Amino acid sequence: MTTAPAAPRRITAADLDLLHEIEDRVLWLSSAIVHHANRVRPNPSGLKVGGHQASCASMVSIMTALWFGHLRPEDRVSVKPHASPVLHAVNHLLGDLDASRLTTLRAFGGLQSYPSRSKDPDTVDYSTGSVGIGATATIWGALARRYADGSTEGRFKGRQYALVGDAELDEGAVWEALLDPQVAELGELVWVVDLNRQSLDRVVPNIAAGRLHGMFAAAGWQVLTLKYGTLLERLFERAGGAALRARLDEMANPEYQRLLRCSAEQLRERLPGTGAEAPAISQLLAEIDDATLMEAVCNLGGHDLSALDSALSEVDDHRPTVIFAYTVKGRGLPTQGHPQNHSSLLTEDQMRELAREVGTDLDNPWEGFPAGSAAARLCAETGARLRREAVTETAPPAIPEDIGRTPTGVATTQAALGRTLLDLTRSAPEAARRVVTVSPDVSSSTNLGGWVNKVGVWSPAERVDWFADDAETILHWRERPTGQHIELGIAETNLVGLLGELGATWSRWGEPLLPIGVMYDPFVNRALEPWSYGIYAGGQSILVGTPSGVTLAPEGGAHQSITTPSLGIEQPGCTTWEPAFALDTEWTLLAALSRLGRPDGGSAYLRLSTRPVDQSLAQVPADPAARERRRRQVVAGAYPLRRRDGARVTIAAMGAMVTEALAAADRLQNLGIPADVVCVTSPGLLYRALDARAGQGEAPDWILDQVFPVERAAPLVTVVDGHPHTLAFLSTIHGVPARRLGVTRFGQSGSLDEVYRYHHIDTDSIVSAALDLTQ
């Protein structure tokens, strides 16, 4: 059933005193949470616990205005990393977090350092922590919501708010995301920039807010600015006020920040400056008392609840909106405006003074508002208004384990990707309808062309394909709301950001999608950090790196991936497969799809190749039971490709290198040295199995006995088109001598034979390594 959006609660003049009471309590709780973690909770190690009271303080007014005035249950909010205590304070006031958890910030199993969707006990919409990723996640969350809407009759509505620290705008990933052409159409995006003009170490000298305004406006965003609060705006209306405004507008950031640390007497001396209008400013300042002057100098728009309410009410839902809210870092704390206040902690005496100012007690820091008080009622009403219906999860569709095709001839694993997706539309149409592919302008060159022609390109509205009647056009670009391929610009961080959000729809809205992102493998490293963060936040997706390795021989060293094969060992929440044959690709892709969109699921990385391989080398068993045994082994991490009686050496190869391994085994046989050949499909799964056998984890280990039985233990040669450490651990299964072949240096352009020889992964090198171990 579709639920009508709840109307936001607008802030009235009568509300201001009450909201200031709430604001003070949020400031207190966020400060006390950090204080308790550092100065109250036992800390036997003596190591710094940390926290950011000043960074929290600059966000208190913004978050009070948003949660208690404008937020709706269908909205989602990404909170800047260092303001996590503010989020927990608000959730506590709304009844979403018990007071006992407020003492656990940065404790083992407690509240996380930064908002975590997967680990915090209260409502967290977006995991943040890596600067810039939390902000851009709202963009991809909006796209994912719109995509999911297309398949669920538009049930998912709501704004995507991002509360962004101004230093986050230094991240290039932010601007990569903003510049994608689709973003300008996302009217549900609302970013509020906490413009406190301070970074970790300093006051930023030239933050150039005007330039930031222009950059957002050029990207199609509505730009709103909250610079001054009500008190200053009233002063500007008085005689000398225009001169005061001009003086503040033209003042450098460090000079303004210094004023925040001044006494009233010092302000009267410094604030007028030395220009022609200094006398007029001095006269204005002489007409106001010290307390008003001290309050006015830090009366910025980001701390003015009325101004914040007005700005949030002006949001244009037809395009993205950014609100630049000028704030003071540490507002309301003794450390406000200090250039080194980023991680500074209030002393106990300062906390007691803060408690006195806001009407609380340091000895009973979590005491709530009095029962029946207006503040208690407002918190209860807001909590009820924002309460969300529980997500009813839809089980993901069944994925076949084996489509039944046995490839013949010469084929590549990259081409098998597109072939499998097309086969899925026929063998499992319900599952295929949940698949959404994403690429950064490389659809045709990664063999997705047939899939794109079949399912179309996703767009919020249908667009004319002006080349539909061109007989020479092979890739048909039909854009419509029912399309299943999303094409982004060439920005890998955007792709994995969208993958993470598409992979989270199962838990956000109960609608599982099966997202697959495709990019050139040499550029996977660019995307690793945001992709890892997406996995941490609960996004489940498949990343396909193709083409890969130095098998990209003509491309040269810059386009040859070396470190990516070991991702499956090192990346939590992810399984890597590097199939050698087309059927291996089908089986592993189907296995990866079957793990998406479920609480016990996870992500996958497939490393594919453009190297043509004779598919008969796979020796796929014809017997159904034997074929199923092979499939299980492929999915579990490895399978014996060739067994020889009396084998004196084992060659374990991965991906494209299986061809060289088999050729080397033939030559060794002619030399009287029988060799087994093992095809490794997932080093990560084998590593987990070995760890489990040692009692260091939980994973099935049967695959080790089937592929590396103790009775066939022999010296081992490993070979991979990537760094040799990927397979180095295999020799420890039985403690056998080993030689590890792989790529450890930048490559060269050339033919395949030349490049393989250069890196010592050619057939000759495998034979030589085997001879060294056996003679």
Side-chain angles (χ1 to χ4, degrees):
M1 178 181 294
T2 301
T3 303
R9 181 187 185 280
R10 289 297 310 277
I11 297 174
T12 66
D15 293 328
L16 283 179
D17 287 342
L18 181 56
L19 285 177
H20 282 308
E21 187 177 354
I22 299 286
E23 181 184 30
D24 284 346
R25 186 58 59 94
V26 173
L27 175 64
W28 167 256
L29 287 171
S30 61
S31 300
I33 288 169
V34 178
H35 176 80
H36 186 94
N38 287 274
R39 302 197 187 278
V40 179
R41 192 171 67 221
N43 182 14
S45 71
L47 295 175
K48 174 186 174 183
V49 176
H52 304 85
Q53 290 171 323
S55 294
C56 287
S58 65
M59 287 296 303
V60 165
S61 304
I62 294 169
M63 294 177 69
T64 300
L66 181 58
W67 261 263
F68 288 87
H70 288 262
L71 205 61
R72 302 169 299 177
E74 63 268 26
D75 299 332
R76 299 294 182 268
V77 188
S78 171
V79 177
K80 79 171 190 177
H82 291 162
S84 64
V86 185
L87 177 61
H88 297 311
V90 170
N91 282 339
H92 168 64
L93 292 177
L94 300 183
D96 189 33
L97 185 66
D98 188 76
S100 63
R101 302 308 296 265
L102 301 180
T103 64
T104 67
L105 179 70
R106 301 189 175 207
F108 185 79
L111 300 177
Q112 298 300 295
S113 304
Y114 311 119
S116 173
R117 189 168 176 265
S118 58
K119 294 183 180 296
D120 276 323
D122 50 336
T123 299
V124 176
D125 293 329
Y126 286 98
S127 295
T128 60
S130 185
V131 173
I133 290 179
T136 58
T138 57
I139 293 176
W140 314 124
L143 276 177
R145 181 195 63 77
R146 288 196 180 202
Y147 185 92
D149 279 356
S151 58
T152 55
E153 300 178 355
R155 286 189 287 122
F156 311 129
K157 303 300 181 186
R159 288 178 177 170
Q160 302 278 338
Y161 289 95
L163 308 182
V164 185
D166 52 8
E168 291 193 77
L169 300 183
D170 291 345
E171 279 291 338
V174 169
W175 302 103
E176 286 185 1
L178 257 63
L179 291 176
D180 192 90
Q182 299 185 72
V183 175
E185 301 178 15
L186 301 177
E188 61 267 49
L189 283 177
V190 182
W191 286 16
V192 183
V193 178
D194 174 15
L195 204 66
N196 61 45
R197 302 166 306 288
Q198 284 187 239
S199 60
L200 190 149
D201 294 321
R202 60 176 182 156
V203 176
V204 180
N206 296 302
I207 201 163
R211 182 180 63 189
L212 294 175
H213 296 183
M215 293 167 73
F216 273 93
W221 289 53
Q222 176 190 22
V223 181
L224 303 175
T225 300
L226 287 178
K227 190 167 186 178
Y228 300 118
T230 304
L231 177 56
L232 269 176
E233 290 289 354
R234 288 173 181 168
L235 287 178
F236 295 155
E237 295 172 358
R238 295 168 61 171
L244 177 60
R245 180 193 288 272
R247 166 80 170 119
L248 290 172
D249 283 343
E250 295 166 6
M251 189 178 292
N253 292 324
E255 182 182 3
Y256 172 76
Q257 296 288 114
R258 181 63 185 89
L259 295 179
L260 299 174
R261 311 291 302 168
C262 290
S263 65
E265 181 181 357
Q266 291 170 325
L267 286 174
R268 296 183 192 281
E269 177 184 346
R270 290 174 178 243
L271 185 52
T274 58
E277 297 293 338
I281 298 173
S282 296
Q283 179 60 39
L284 174 60
L285 300 185
E287 297 171 1
I288 59 178
D289 59 54
D290 287 354
T292 302
L293 176 57
M294 296 285 288
E295 176 64 21
V297 79
C298 57
N299 180 231
L300 299 182
H303 299 299
D304 190 300
L305 294 176
S306 296
L308 285 162
D309 176 62
S310 296
L312 290 167
S313 301
E314 293 176 22
V315 169
D316 178 0
D317 285 324
H318 297 92
R319 55 177 172 156
T321 296
V322 61
I323 301 172
F324 286 100
Y326 282 71
T327 60
V328 174
K329 193 165 184 174
R331 178 72 165 99
L333 304 179
T335 57
Q336 74 174 13
H338 194 283
Q340 278 85 51
N341 67 6
H342 182 79
S343 298
S344 65
L345 298 170
L346 271 60
T347 65
E348 180 173 335
D349 287 344
Q350 289 173 326
M351 285 295 294
R352 291 195 182 280
E353 176 61 21
L354 178 63
R356 185 191 64 77
E357 292 174 359
V358 300
T360 56
D361 182 358
L362 182 60
D363 297 323
N364 189 12
W366 322 122
E367 184 178 15
F369 291 115
S373 66
R377 287 197 303 273
L378 177 57
C379 289
E381 291 167 2
T382 303
R385 177 172 58 81
L386 296 180
R387 192 162 296 122
R388 298 170 183 169
E389 297 179 6
V391 173
T392 302
E393 294 181 5
T394 300
I399 306 293
E401 295 179 332
D402 186 348
I403 291 175
R405 180 189 295 272
T406 303
T408 58
V410 175
T412 72
T413 55
Q414 177 176 288
L417 169 69
R419 179 76 263 170
T420 301
L421 290 177
L422 285 174
D423 285 345
L424 196 65
T425 63
R426 291 182 284 270
S427 62
E430 287 300 315
R433 276 193 283 271
R434 296 275 178 174
V435 172
V436 51
T437 55
V438 187
S439 70
D441 198 31
V442 293
S443 303
S444 56
S445 57
T446 54
N447 286 95
L448 285 181
W451 163 259
V452 172
N453 284 344
K454 175 78 173 179
V455 302
V457 178
W458 179 82
S459 174
E462 189 156 354
R463 294 173 178 163
V464 176
D465 179 8
W466 294 104
F467 287 85
D469 58 349
D470 186 340
E472 296 183 4
T473 297
I474 299 175
L475 182 62
H476 298 290
W477 211 253
R478 293 189 292 269
E479 298 179 85
R480 55 199 178 194
T482 57
Q484 292 179 242
H485 176 75
I486 301 177
E487 188 92 352
L488 300 174
I490 303 176
E492 287 78 11
T493 57
N494 289 353
L495 180 140
V496 296
L498 179 55
L499 270 188
E501 291 305 316
L502 289 167
T505 57
W506 67 275
S507 57
R508 286 197 192 282
W509 300 300
E511 289 293 338
L513 297 175
L514 308 177
I516 302 173
V518 180
M519 69 172 69
Y520 290 171
D521 197 68
F523 309 133
V524 164
N525 282 330
R526 290 186 193 174
L528 277 184
E529 198 260 347
W531 190 53
S532 175
Y533 225 85
I535 295 173
Y536 168 76
Q540 298 173 2
S541 63
I542 299 172
L543 180 62
V544 179
T546 185
S548 65
V550 299
T551 297
L552 279 167
E555 296 283 353
H559 274 56
Q560 297 174 356
S561 51
I562 297 173
T563 62
T564 52
S566 61
L567 287 183
I569 300 176
E570 299 152 1
Q571 175 59 53
C574 169
T575 301
T576 290
W577 284 285
E578 183 167 345
F581 300 102
L583 189 54
D584 296 354
T585 305
E586 175 193 305
W587 286 339
T588 55
L589 178 62
L590 294 175
L593 287 170
S594 71
R595 300 180 68 241
L596 300 180
R598 58 182 69 247
D600 60 345
S603 295
Y605 165 64
L606 268 64
R607 190 174 189 253
L608 305 183
S609 175
T610 51
R611 177 160 185 207
V613 174
D614 180 359
Q615 297 302 300
S616 67
L617 297 176
Q619 299 176 344
V620 179
D623 180 79
R627 178 186 175 104
E628 172 58 16
R629 185 172 187 266
R630 165 72 69 85
R631 186 199 66 79
R632 291 181 67 245
Q633 291 174 335
V634 166
V635 172
Y639 59 95
L641 187 55
R642 181 178 294 179
R643 296 291 200 203
R644 288 284 186 255
D645 292 339
R648 294 175 53 194
V649 67
T650 298
I651 304 171
M654 192 162 77
M657 303 314 304
V658 166
T659 298
E660 276 63 36
L662 289 171
D666 289 340
R667 286 172 53 182
L668 289 167
Q669 183 73 23
N670 293 334
L671 294 172
I673 303 174
D676 284 350
V677 177
V678 169
C679 181
V680 176
T681 55
S682 177
L685 290 176
L686 296 182
Y687 188 88
R688 293 173 207 173
L690 189 59
D691 256 6
R693 180 161 290 184
Q696 294 179 307
E698 295 184 5
D701 64 357
W702 59 266
I703 189 65
L704 300 178
D705 294 328
Q706 290 194 8
V707 180
F708 298 101
V710 64
E711 65 271 15
R712 300 193 72 86
L716 181 68
V717 177
T718 63
V719 57
V720 58
D721 186 358
H723 200 284
H725 81 266
T726 306
L727 300 180
F729 70 94
L730 292 178
S731 63
T732 67
I733 296 175
H734 298 301
V736 298
R739 289 294 173 87
R740 304 161 186 93
L741 306 180
V743 180
T744 59
R745 51 184 170 162
F746 292 116
Q748 296 282 342
S749 295
S751 68
L752 200 62
D753 289 342
E754 290 172 324
V755 171
Y756 279 7
R757 193 178 307 116
Y758 176 78
H759 291 288
H760 306 296
I761 56 176
D762 59 317
T763 302
D764 284 351
S765 296
I766 298 173
V767 171
S768 295
L771 292 175
D772 287 344
L773 290 170
T774 56
Q775 293 184 350

